[in-house]
Amino acid sequence: ADKLFISKDTKEIPTDLIPDLIIIDTINKAGIKNVDMIELKQKYPNTSFIFIAQVTKDGDFRGENATAHDVDAIIEMKNGEAFANGRFIQGGYLNIKNLV
């Protein structure tokens, strides 16, 4: 059965629930640090994660920049365009302005 669980705290995920996908928007507001991301990925090894991070005006991550080294892909959204780089994606691009 399809299930949707929404929480303001990852500690509230029921112990009997093994999610297919966890989205954290944003790691900055949630207080999620790099070590917390690693622990979550270890706790749920078969779960996909989307960690959303705020950036500065210069395009750098707010908080720990080590986060960039522990994710598989970084997708930067800017003015209706998505630019992807990372371990598995090198130079991906998608114009999302007209997808809706």
Side-chain angles (χ1 to χ4, degrees), residues 4-13 19-44 47-54 61 67 71 75:
L4 176 64
F5 179 78
I6 299 174
S7 174
K8 291 186 177 188
D9 188 343
T10 58
K11 293 176 180 76
E12 293 178 4
I13 298 171
D20 293 323
L21 173 67
I22 294 177
I23 302 171
I24 298 179
D25 180 16
T26 69
I27 59 173
N28 310 90
K29 288 184 180 179
I32 303 287
K33 295 188 168 129
N34 200 51
V35 67
D36 301 320
M37 290 171 48
I38 293 167
E39 286 175 8
L40 277 170
K41 291 190 317 185
Q42 289 172 344
K43 184 175 181 180
Y44 301 104
T47 299
S48 296
F49 289 88
I50 297 175
F51 296 107
I52 300 172
Q54 297 172 346
F61 286 106
T67 301
V71 296
I75 302 172

